[in-house]
Amino acid sequence: MSDFDGVIDGIWQSGAGVWPNLSVDKAAARALVTVPAIPPHASDLYLALGCALGDPNALQLFDAGILADAARVIRRYDSNHAFVTEVMQRIRIHLLVGEAGEPPRIARFDGRASLRAWVGTCAVRMALYVMRGTRNANEIAVEWPDVIAELPTGHAELDAVRARYADAFRTAWRDACNQLTPRHRTILRMCFVENASVEQIATTYAVHRVTVWRWLEDAKTRVLAQTRARLGELIPTTDPGTASLLSLIGSQLDLGLSVLT
């Protein structure tokens, strides 16, 4: 058995344990699996692969559980029923409908984070995108640091840490973001508030998409370093909250960047 076969078997074993009534076509899904090892959320990856293949049972589970959870995220921006319904429909099309012969975008989910958190991040970006498309952009005072700070994590422990250290988290995070270069701030705003894709940013700056990814990774590295330094001034370095907050911020940035298309 090859290493890749072991990864596939591990994903399927994990998925079958959580979703016993779901049977994903392993042969068809193999071409969609790109992870080099069994990810932390392998069972979620199993469900996502079923959705990517158009399996009716997987789609039903996605709608009833994952997408229903995303509605709560959307309501933070506008609780109007029509708005929530429109955003959810757009998310469903964005993630589950392939274009030009390509697999649906949900096939890009890699299981490093929970599917609920990943889709929740998509919901945040889509909600802001719809708001800016239907209202005067000047009426929507949304800053990208606030968007990232509120992204769902899918981890109860990290959410509890964020609540416990709310003041320190907010201060350290915003100070770190303010120290980024203008270009870093601009591309993060384009990603998280304007719903711009990597390709759109690359076109704006007349650079290759790989260059944009490097800028984004550099921005992530810098803001984590600055946040670490600021937290060191606000919380004792021995406090376990420091490491947890850094993990929180890192996971939020990773989640946000992982849904860029």
Side-chain angles (χ1 to χ4, degrees), residues 60-73:
Q60 184 178 15
L61 287 168
F62 179 84
D63 286 342
I66 307 299
L67 196 56
D69 261 13
R72 288 195 284 271
V73 177

Side-chain angles (χ1 to χ4, degrees), residues 15-24 43-44 46-51 54-70 88 92 96 106 115-116 119:
V18 176
W19 317 103
N21 297 323
L22 180 62
S23 179
V24 180
S43 61
D44 283 2
Y46 179 79
L47 175 61
L49 290 167
C51 291
D55 181 271
N57 292 330
L59 293 172
Q60 184 178 15
L61 287 168
F62 179 84
D63 286 342
I66 307 299
L67 196 56
D69 261 13
M88 288 181 67
R92 201 176 192 283
L96 301 178
I106 198 168
L115 186 58
R116 291 180 189 277
V119 174

Side-chain angles (χ1 to χ4, degrees), residues 123-166:
V124 169
R125 297 180 74 237
M126 187 63 74
L128 290 170
Y129 177 77
V130 173
M131 288 173 66
R132 295 181 72 86
T134 57
R135 306 178 189 176
N136 186 322
N138 293 329
E139 296 176 359
I140 305 173
V142 179
E143 297 292 336
W144 65 264
D146 298 328
V147 173
I148 298 176
E150 294 178 5
L151 289 180
T153 66
H155 296 283
E157 291 181 3
L158 289 181
D159 287 337
V161 168
R162 175 165 50 187
R164 178 182 176 188
Y165 296 92

Side-chain angles (χ1 to χ4, degrees), residues 206-221:
V207 297
H208 194 276
R209 67 189 309 275
V210 173
T211 299
V212 175
W213 276 116
R214 288 172 180 162
W215 289 347
L216 289 169
E217 287 297 321
D218 186 39
K220 182 178 75 172
T221 300

